[in-house]
Short mmCIF file of all heavy atoms in Angstrom, two decimals:
data_model
loop_
_atom_site.label_atom_id
_atom_site.label_comp_id
_atom_site.label_asym_id
_atom_site.label_seq_id
_atom_site.Cartn_x
_atom_site.Cartn_y
_atom_site.Cartn_z
N VAL T 180 -5.80 -12.45 1.05
CA VAL T 180 -4.93 -11.30 0.55
C VAL T 180 -4.14 -10.82 1.57
O VAL T 180 -4.64 -10.56 2.67
CB VAL T 180 -5.93 -10.29 -0.19
CG1 VAL T 180 -5.17 -9.09 -0.71
CG2 VAL T 180 -6.96 -10.78 -1.08
N VAL T 181 -2.92 -10.41 1.17
CA VAL T 181 -1.95 -9.72 2.17
C VAL T 181 -1.71 -8.36 1.49
O VAL T 181 -1.23 -8.12 0.43
CB VAL T 181 -0.65 -10.51 2.31
CG1 VAL T 181 0.23 -9.76 3.44
CG2 VAL T 181 -0.88 -11.94 2.94
N LEU T 182 -1.97 -7.32 2.34
CA LEU T 182 -1.82 -5.90 1.94
C LEU T 182 -0.45 -5.51 2.50
O LEU T 182 -0.27 -5.40 3.76
CB LEU T 182 -2.76 -4.90 2.52
CG LEU T 182 -4.10 -4.92 1.72
CD1 LEU T 182 -4.89 -6.26 1.88
CD2 LEU T 182 -5.05 -3.82 2.22
N THR T 183 0.53 -5.42 1.73
CA THR T 183 2.00 -5.10 2.19
C THR T 183 2.51 -4.15 1.20
O THR T 183 2.04 -3.95 0.09
CB THR T 183 2.80 -6.46 2.31
OG1 THR T 183 3.99 -6.21 2.88
CG2 THR T 183 2.96 -7.16 0.96
N GLY T 184 3.79 -3.60 1.55
CA GLY T 184 4.51 -2.75 0.57
C GLY T 184 3.55 -1.44 0.14
O GLY T 184 2.88 -0.98 1.10
N GLU T 185 3.59 -1.25 -1.14
CA GLU T 185 2.77 -0.20 -1.69
C GLU T 185 1.22 -0.49 -1.40
O GLU T 185 0.40 0.55 -1.49
CB GLU T 185 3.06 0.07 -3.05
CG GLU T 185 2.64 -0.98 -3.99
CD GLU T 185 3.15 -0.81 -5.38
OE1 GLU T 185 2.79 0.33 -5.96
OE2 GLU T 185 3.67 -1.71 -5.89
N ALA T 186 0.80 -1.61 -1.17
CA ALA T 186 -0.64 -1.81 -0.88
C ALA T 186 -1.03 -1.61 0.55
O ALA T 186 -2.30 -1.56 0.77
CB ALA T 186 -0.98 -3.32 -1.30
N ARG T 187 -0.10 -1.46 1.35
CA ARG T 187 -0.45 -1.43 2.79
C ARG T 187 -1.49 -0.09 3.10
O ARG T 187 -2.39 -0.37 3.80
CB ARG T 187 0.73 -1.20 3.75
CG ARG T 187 0.43 -1.01 5.22
CD ARG T 187 -0.37 -2.19 5.83
NE ARG T 187 -0.85 -1.90 7.19
CZ ARG T 187 -1.86 -1.24 7.54
NH1 ARG T 187 -2.63 -0.53 6.63
NH2 ARG T 187 -2.11 -0.88 8.87
N LEU T 188 -1.23 1.00 2.41
CA LEU T 188 -2.11 2.11 2.56
C LEU T 188 -2.88 2.44 1.36
O LEU T 188 -3.48 3.45 1.13
CB LEU T 188 -1.36 3.27 3.01
CG LEU T 188 -0.77 3.26 4.45
CD1 LEU T 188 0.27 4.44 4.73
CD2 LEU T 188 -1.93 3.38 5.33
N ALA T 189 -2.96 1.35 0.61
CA ALA T 189 -3.83 1.57 -0.69
C ALA T 189 -5.29 1.44 -0.46
O ALA T 189 -5.72 0.69 0.37
CB ALA T 189 -3.42 0.46 -1.70
N PHE T 190 -6.07 2.16 -1.35
CA PHE T 190 -7.48 2.00 -1.21
C PHE T 190 -8.02 0.66 -1.65
O PHE T 190 -7.34 0.19 -2.62
CB PHE T 190 -8.19 3.19 -2.03
CG PHE T 190 -8.22 4.50 -1.36
CD1 PHE T 190 -7.22 5.42 -1.43
CD2 PHE T 190 -9.42 4.84 -0.62
CE1 PHE T 190 -7.21 6.64 -0.82
CE2 PHE T 190 -9.47 5.99 0.06
CZ PHE T 190 -8.40 6.90 -0.02
N HIS T 191 -9.07 0.14 -1.09
CA HIS T 191 -9.55 -1.14 -1.55
C HIS T 191 -11.00 -1.21 -0.98
O HIS T 191 -11.42 -0.51 -0.02
CB HIS T 191 -8.72 -2.28 -0.87
CG HIS T 191 -8.66 -2.26 0.53
ND1 HIS T 191 -7.83 -1.50 1.16
CD2 HIS T 191 -9.25 -2.93 1.48
CE1 HIS T 191 -7.85 -1.64 2.58
NE2 HIS T 191 -8.91 -2.53 2.71
N GLY T 192 -11.67 -2.08 -1.49
CA GLY T 192 -13.21 -2.30 -1.09
C GLY T 192 -13.83 -3.47 -1.81
O GLY T 192 -13.24 -4.24 -2.53
N VAL T 193 -15.04 -3.77 -1.37
CA VAL T 193 -15.81 -4.78 -1.85
C VAL T 193 -17.03 -4.36 -2.54
O VAL T 193 -17.82 -3.74 -1.82
CB VAL T 193 -16.14 -5.94 -0.87
CG1 VAL T 193 -17.08 -6.89 -1.30
CG2 VAL T 193 -14.86 -6.50 -0.22
N ASP T 194 -17.13 -4.40 -3.83
CA ASP T 194 -18.29 -3.83 -4.64
C ASP T 194 -19.59 -4.60 -4.44
O ASP T 194 -20.54 -4.09 -4.26
CB ASP T 194 -18.01 -3.70 -6.16
CG ASP T 194 -16.95 -2.74 -6.39
OD1 ASP T 194 -16.56 -1.88 -5.57
OD2 ASP T 194 -16.43 -2.65 -7.57
N ARG T 195 -19.34 -5.91 -4.37
CA ARG T 195 -20.55 -6.77 -4.17
C ARG T 195 -20.05 -8.18 -4.02
O ARG T 195 -18.97 -8.61 -4.23
CB ARG T 195 -21.52 -6.74 -5.43
CG ARG T 195 -20.93 -7.13 -6.67
CD ARG T 195 -21.97 -6.75 -7.78
NE ARG T 195 -21.37 -6.80 -9.06
CZ ARG T 195 -21.23 -7.82 -9.87
NH1 ARG T 195 -21.90 -9.03 -9.52
NH2 ARG T 195 -20.61 -7.81 -11.03
#
Side-chain angles (χ1 to χ4, degrees):
V180 182
V181 180
L182 281 66
T183 186
E185 63 185 314
R187 174 61 183 83
L188 285 170
F190 278 87
H191 59 279
V193 171
D194 289 349
R195 61 191 164 92

